[in-house]
Amino acid sequence: MRNLLKVGLRRLVKTPERRPIGGRHAIIIAVSAQKGGVGKTTTAVSLASAMARFHDKRVLLIDLDPQGHVATAIQSQLSGGGGSLSNVLEDDGGEVLDAVAPTSVQGLDVTPFDPKLSATEDLLGTRMGKEFILRDRLKVTRTHYDMIIIDCPPNIGNLCVNGLVAADYVLIPCDPSPLALKGVNALVDTVSTIAVRLNPNIDVLGVLLTRVDGRNTTLNQAIMSEIEETYGPALLPVQIGINSSLAKAQHAGKDIFSFDDSSRGAQQYRELAEVVALL
Ligand SMILES: Nc1ncnc2c1ncn2[C@@H]1O[C@H](COP(=O)(O)OP(=O)(O)O)[C@@H](O)[C@H]1O
Ligand SMILES: [Mg+2]
């Protein structure tokens, strides 16, 4: 009788759709900082593009920030397609792979702008196992890519926590300002808690100094020494200077290598990709 009941109930449980498993195993990097305007999106887009262009990697760039800046930043390199990341996160049994769209950069896919993503932030709060949803939705997806880069929102909400729980590494952009440094401290605290409670695999890839003003060397030096003192070797050997081509590229909707490959911004993000390629 009990077995009969089991068989009967089993029919009521939806089994997830099976998708083909790929032969890869992506390294997942969350680009995260608790302050806006420090270069998260610029870093996520430029690094993703550099890994695809110069390191022959299959790369997926996930826009987890409801502002949808990734799609704006590479608008002219998108030709439509893809689905809704919020649907994937909200419905059981989905995979991020269902939402991805190709770009004109060989090897680079992205999740397109999704206006529903800000509502997902609150909705996730009501779900069982809410911190693990993105990680679960990447299980098959990660077998189709070499690298997955997540552009996280600037607040530590449900979406950002999902990004950090799914990640192998967190890359922390920080501009040389006291406020940004405070944000690094707060984020490192959050990452430490996540490492203890939710994702023991997470590691800090490093703090990336961005928007460094070459003329303000005293401030740069003070911030750099403080990061080095607090986090030891966490400061990455590459720095990104202020470079108007990076802002212009974002405005033109192109990655920096397509907009102006000879710019300093392009050169420095290429150097960052060299470091990341060693992972
Ligand atoms: N190194 C840089 N030099 C000059 N402008 C930059 C640089 N990095 C980012 N920007 C510009 O600064 C603004 C904020 O950058 P963004 O990457 O969108 O930050 P976040 O995602 O952290 O909010 C954008 O207008 C961007 O084009
Ligand atoms: Mg952004």
Side-chain angles (χ1 to χ4, degrees), residues 61-98:
L61 175 57
I62 298 179
D63 192 357
L64 209 53
D65 186 345
Q67 297 178 97
H69 288 171
V70 165
T72 314
I74 49 167
Q75 192 157 34
S76 36
Q77 291 167 308
L78 292 171
S79 47
S84 152
L85 182 61
S86 54
N87 285 352
V88 168
L89 295 173
E90 288 170 24
D91 301 341
D92 285 335
E95 268 287 330
V96 175
L97 201 57
D98 301 338

Side-chain angles (χ1 to χ4, degrees), residues 14 26 40-41 55 64-65 67-68 73-74 77 82 109 133 135-136 146 162 171 189 202 224 266 268 270-271 273:
K14 282 186 237 160
K40 282 183 296 299
T41 301
H55 295 275
L64 209 53
D65 186 345
Q67 297 178 97
I74 49 167
Q77 291 167 308
D109 291 346
I133 293 176
R135 192 187 72 178
D136 289 348
D146 302 305
N162 264 270
L171 172 59
D189 283 349
I202 194 163
M224 276 163 62
Q268 289 168 336
R270 231 186 240 248
E271 286 169 20

Side-chain angles (χ1 to χ4, degrees), residues 160-172:
C160 185
V161 169
N162 264 270
L164 295 171
V165 170
D168 302 307
Y169 294 98
V170 54
L171 172 59
I172 312 173

Side-chain angles (χ1 to χ4, degrees), residues 38-39 42-43 174-176 208-215 220 238-247 256 263-269 271:
V38 294
T42 307
T43 299
C174 170
D175 65 17
L208 175 71
L209 268 193
T210 57
R211 306 178 56 105
V212 177
D213 181 352
R215 293 163 306 179
N220 298 343
V238 180
Q239 290 180 13
I240 313 295
I242 289 189
N243 181 244
S244 62
S245 294
L246 286 166
I256 187 65
S263 62
R264 267 189 79 68
Q267 189 192 320
Q268 289 168 336
Y269 274 113
E271 286 169 20

Side-chain angles (χ1 to χ4, degrees), residues 76-233:
S76 36
Q77 291 167 308
L78 292 171
S79 47
S84 152
L85 182 61
S86 54
N87 285 352
V88 168
L89 295 173
E90 288 170 24
D91 301 341
D92 285 335
E95 268 287 330
V96 175
L97 201 57
D98 301 338
V100 307
T103 70
S104 58
V105 177
Q106 170 88 32
L108 176 64
D109 291 346
V110 298
T111 58
F113 172 59
D114 181 356
K116 273 177 50 203
L117 205 52
S118 53
T120 306
E121 173 85 76
D122 296 332
L123 209 119
L124 286 185
T126 65
R127 292 293 160 99
M128 214 188 281
K130 61 177 190 287
E131 296 98 345
F132 299 96
I133 293 176
L134 179 63
R135 192 187 72 178
D136 289 348
R137 306 292 194 269
L138 286 172
K139 266 190 190 139
V140 176
T141 306
R142 84 184 290 177
T143 68
H144 291 268
Y145 293 94
D146 302 305
M147 186 162 280
I148 296 176
I149 295 178
I150 306 174
D151 187 18
C152 291
N155 61 317
I156 304 285
N158 290 320
L159 285 168
C160 185
V161 169
N162 264 270
L164 295 171
V165 170
D168 302 307
Y169 294 98
V170 54
L171 172 59
I172 312 173
C174 170
D175 65 17
S177 72
L179 269 184
L181 189 56
K182 260 181 122 175
V184 173
N185 294 336
L187 179 62
V188 170
D189 283 349
T190 305
V191 171
S192 306
T193 308
I194 285 180
V196 173
R197 296 198 190 154
L198 302 167
N199 177 11
N201 291 325
I202 194 163
D203 200 354
V204 175
L205 200 162
V207 177
L208 175 71
L209 268 193
T210 57
R211 306 178 56 105
V212 177
D213 181 352
R215 293 163 306 179
N216 202 343
T217 46
T218 327
L219 182 61
N220 298 343
Q221 208 52 53
I223 301 279
M224 276 163 62
S225 330
E226 202 171 330
I227 295 175
E228 263 166 8
E229 219 169 88
T230 321
Y231 303 115

